[in-house]
Amino acid sequence: MKKIVMTAAILAFGVINYAQADTIRATSAFGPKHVMAQAGYPALFKKLKELTDGRWTGYDTPSGLVGPNEMNSALREGITDMGPVMFPYFSADYIESGIVGDLSMLGTDNRAIASAVSEYIATCPECIKEFSKNGQVYLGSDATTAYQLLSTKRIESLNDLKGLRVRTGGATYSYIIEKMGALPVYFPASEIFEALSSGVADATYSSIPDLKNIQLYDAVKYVTLIDKGVFNAAAMTNLSQRVWDKMSLEDRSSMARAAQYAQTIAIYSWRDTAAEAEKIAKEKGIEFIQPDKEFVKRGNDIRDEYMAGVTEALTKKGVTNAAAKVDRYKALLKKWEGLVANVTTSDELAELRYKEIWSKVDMKTYGSH
């Protein structure tokens, strides 16, 4: 009898352990070679398993299941449990959260920008409500390094840029390019190489890592260093509300903490890849150009003009109390520029973001319907 009871207890214990070992199905969505597939999501799930004592783990399907332009509905409908949401793809759903993209001309340090974006959205009730409406929980953002002009033609002056067709990734960048005398054109990043090679476009308004990430070395001949803007309008590890609702408060905190590791790996990857891509580009004969003083001044003036009108533009989009929100983002960016000054590793940045943002979030109410 004693043996039977003991056996039953062991079996029950095994069942309980199995039930607690919940698995998150992630879709990093940018392919198996992307940093989130190779390093970001694996680091997240390793940290999550560690922090939850094995109660939660996960795996990533980097491509083939859901594309970035399908992620909003995929998370809402339970097709996948975690994935990146790019705000420009779903701008009507993320009017409040999308403010950060309209302010992407501010700052140059992607560690500070990404962290300011994360704190802004995580502490913005209207933003969190947008994600809740789409069955998601926001867990932070990354950001690219500064944008430059990657071109097939030499661009040093405004006259060189005039009339050129420049691929841009959004309205903010199109505004800058058009005001500087070029013609903005849009097509997916996957088509940039072919467009530059065939002459459909003369340049792309992108970050230097794109030379490597989408293999533009053989299409680009020049890089003009304009340092204007980043891409910061993305939530790289959004979690399905269904999964969040199953988590204990302790595990929610662990989830938020683990997610920072994926994002900071991406942040540092942009920085490391920028240096690597520049080195390889120079070895291949790609020329890096400092634009002339008139070019620089015009770019700065246009940026300032854009920022002077951004509050009105946001209000027209439907953002409430836009001026106060712009000021709050600016203050957060300044705060994070100071905080990251002495940070040297992605792990250090991940823990700093957790301490400054997520450890202060009420996990009982955060992300609730």
Side-chain angles (χ1 to χ4, degrees):
M1 180 68 181
K2 205 170 177 183
K3 183 176 180 182
I4 294 172
V5 171
M6 186 175 290
T7 302
I10 291 169
L11 288 171
F13 180 75
V15 170
I16 291 170
N17 270 354
Y18 178 80
Q20 288 178 339
D22 286 305
T23 301
I24 295 170
R25 302 166 301 127
T27 308
S28 58
F30 293 106
K33 292 186 178 180
H34 192 276
V35 64
M36 292 302 276
Q38 292 194 339
Y41 274 69
L44 185 161
F45 291 127
K46 180 181 179 182
K47 196 68 179 179
L48 180 64
K49 187 175 182 179
E50 173 194 320
L51 293 172
T52 62
D53 295 325
R55 290 187 298 275
W56 288 90
T57 185
Y59 64 89
D60 174 36
T61 304
S63 61
L65 179 63
V66 179
N69 61 333
E70 304 167 311
M71 192 60 67
N72 212 35
S73 59
L75 286 168
R76 183 174 60 243
E77 294 167 11
I79 296 171
T80 190
D81 296 330
M82 175 179 277
V85 173
M86 318 297 281
F87 303 158
Y89 286 157
F90 316 106
S91 55
D93 289 323
Y94 300 105
I95 292 172
E96 291 286 347
S97 304
I99 287 176
V100 297
D102 291 279
L103 301 178
S104 61
M105 288 295 154
L106 297 175
T108 57
D109 188 322
N110 70 330
R111 300 171 303 170
I113 293 166
S115 301
V117 167
S118 298
E119 183 166 358
Y120 178 88
I121 293 178
T123 55
C124 163
E126 300 98 325
C127 302
I128 300 309
K129 187 175 181 181
E130 289 177 336
F131 291 107
S132 292
K133 282 183 178 180
N134 285 284
Q136 303 165 34
V137 177
Y138 173 80
L139 294 173
S141 295
D142 71 349
T144 68
T145 48
Y147 273 15
Q148 320 293 351
L149 286 174
L150 284 51
S151 64
T152 59
K153 298 180 179 179
R154 199 174 200 282
I155 303 171
E156 185 176 359
S157 67
L158 290 172
N159 192 55
D160 293 335
L161 181 61
K162 187 176 181 180
L164 296 187
R165 290 159 297 183
V166 180
R167 186 264 179 187
T168 69
T172 302
Y173 320 111
S174 294
Y175 176 93
I176 298 292
I177 288 301
E178 189 169 19
K179 288 286 185 178
M180 292 188 76
L183 176 66
V185 294
Y186 178 76
F187 41 81
S190 59
E191 298 176 16
I192 293 176
F193 181 89
E194 180 60 31
L196 291 174
S197 299
S198 64
V200 170
D202 302 301
T204 179
Y205 193 10
S206 304
S207 62
I208 289 174
D210 279 344
L211 288 168
K212 178 185 177 182
N213 292 341
I214 50 180
Q215 289 296 301
L216 298 180
Y217 294 120
D218 293 333
V220 168
K221 295 180 180 179
Y222 307 95
V223 175
T224 302
L225 302 170
I226 61 174
D227 288 326
K228 289 288 182 296
V230 301
F231 186 78
N232 64 352
M236 297 304 290
T237 57
N238 269 17
L239 185 68
S240 165
Q241 184 84 54
R242 301 178 189 196
V243 176
W244 185 257
D245 288 346
K246 289 172 62 179
M247 287 182 154
S248 67
L249 300 187
E250 180 185 358
D251 288 347
R252 289 180 181 182
S253 182
S254 295
M255 179 73 252
R257 187 174 186 175
Q260 304 319 299
Y261 282 79
Q263 290 146 14
T264 57
I265 282 173
I267 289 166
Y268 269 85
S269 175
W270 283 107
R271 299 167 74 86
D272 295 340
T273 303
E276 178 189 351
E278 181 172 346
K279 181 177 182 294
I280 294 172
K282 287 178 177 178
E283 290 172 354
K284 289 180 174 289
I286 296 173
E287 183 181 354
F288 283 68
I289 300 168
Q290 291 288 348
D292 65 25
K293 291 181 180 179
E294 183 186 11
F295 190 109
V296 173
K297 183 179 185 304
R298 181 61 178 147
N300 290 340
D301 288 346
I302 292 169
R303 178 198 59 206
D304 294 345
E305 289 170 14
Y306 173 81
M307 288 306 303
V310 75
T311 296
E312 182 180 352
L314 288 171
T315 301
K316 287 180 179 178
K317 283 186 180 181
V319 174
T320 58
N321 302 315
K325 289 173 179 176
V326 169
D327 287 343
R328 188 169 85 89
Y329 178 79
K330 287 180 178 178
L332 287 171
L333 181 56
K334 184 177 181 180
K335 165 191 167 180
W336 278 98
E337 285 172 340
L339 286 174
V340 303
N342 296 315
V343 171
T344 58
T345 69
S346 63
D347 284 2
E348 189 180 349
L349 181 59
E351 285 301 314
L352 180 61
R353 282 162 56 117
Y354 176 73
K355 175 185 174 183
E356 290 290 329
I357 306 171
W358 305 100
S359 70
K360 301 174 184 179
V361 167
D362 181 357
M363 292 297 166
K364 186 174 183 179
T365 59
Y366 185 79
S368 60
H369 295 283

